[in-house]
Amino acid sequence: MDYYTQFLREKREGKYDGCRYPNLVEIHGGMPTDCLAEVTPELMLAVFRGEEDLALMELSRIARYNGIPLSVLTCPKLIMLDMGRRRHRRMVAEVDSLYIKLKCMAREGNQKAEKYLEWASWEQQRFMGAAHNNRLSYGHYLVAKEEMQNYILFAAPKQEKRGIEARKGGAE
């Protein structure tokens, strides 16, 4: 069984419920973690099970490169968004607007956007369902936002390379 499949299976089975870093478990899979912390996948699974701890430097690398405050990763409780707060509703609306932008790109005929839209639709439904049921974690928000931004970035048309035009004839 590969590493990520094992992670998903163990997460579903509740083996990570006692993890010291519940917010790290939430972002794992959607954002790079073990490669940034420079630890083996086996060690990362042991950390999620509560058998090992990460060093502060390993946690700070994950936080820095993913643009997440270190305090979020070291928080012992899962950070949840409250849909009663205006700021959190705006955060959800931001992810929704990224999804709509991708949808518009696909509607305009961008074939890459159409391909990414298939994947983004499932994630968007899951994300909005969690927001609607007031069960959206901060980690889920961060991962969804990152994925939507990446889909848009990868689907954006690339500019043609600038070059030199070949001239016919000699000097004028």
Side-chain angles (χ1 to χ4, degrees), residues 15-172:
K15 289 188 176 182
Y16 304 149
D17 292 344
C19 180
R20 185 172 174 196
Y21 314 105
N23 295 296
L24 180 61
V25 172
E26 282 291 302
I27 68 161
H28 185 73
M31 294 180 154
T33 54
D34 51 338
C35 60
L36 294 176
E38 296 179 1
V39 297
T40 64
E42 294 78 23
L43 176 65
M44 192 59 86
L45 290 175
V47 166
F48 292 150
R49 288 185 209 113
E51 300 165 358
E52 294 287 332
D53 284 333
L54 287 175
L56 183 60
M57 180 56 88
E58 295 163 343
L59 280 169
S60 66
R61 275 192 225 118
I62 295 169
R64 184 176 346 120
Y65 292 117
N66 285 312
I68 301 170
L70 181 60
S71 59
V72 168
L73 294 182
T74 57
C75 183
K77 293 184 178 179
L78 185 62
I79 300 172
M80 300 298 287
L81 299 186
D82 177 10
M83 292 300 102
R85 296 184 65 193
R86 181 182 305 202
R87 179 171 186 240
H88 293 175
R89 288 192 307 268
R90 272 188 288 189
M91 291 164 64
V92 169
E94 182 182 5
V95 173
D96 195 40
S97 69
L98 289 170
Y99 174 72
I100 291 169
K101 183 175 181 177
L102 183 66
K103 227 174 168 176
C104 289
M105 290 170 69
R107 200 174 305 133
E108 292 169 357
N110 185 325
Q111 292 178 346
K112 283 186 179 180
E114 287 178 24
K115 180 180 79 170
Y116 291 124
L117 187 61
E118 292 175 21
W119 300 331
S121 294
W122 178 81
E123 175 58 36
Q124 180 69 0
Q125 288 175 3
R126 210 174 124 244
F127 175 80
M128 293 306 284
H132 179 72
N133 295 326
N134 209 17
R135 301 196 61 174
L136 182 62
S137 71
Y138 185 58
H140 188 167
Y141 157 76
L142 290 172
V143 169
K145 181 180 174 188
E146 179 79 13
E147 284 180 351
M148 293 299 169
Q149 288 174 333
N150 285 339
Y151 292 149
I152 290 169
L153 177 69
F154 299 152
K158 309 295 183 248
Q159 289 183 343
E160 289 187 30
K161 293 182 181 180
R162 191 174 72 90
I164 298 175
E165 292 181 25
R167 294 186 186 183
K168 292 185 179 180
E172 292 180 25

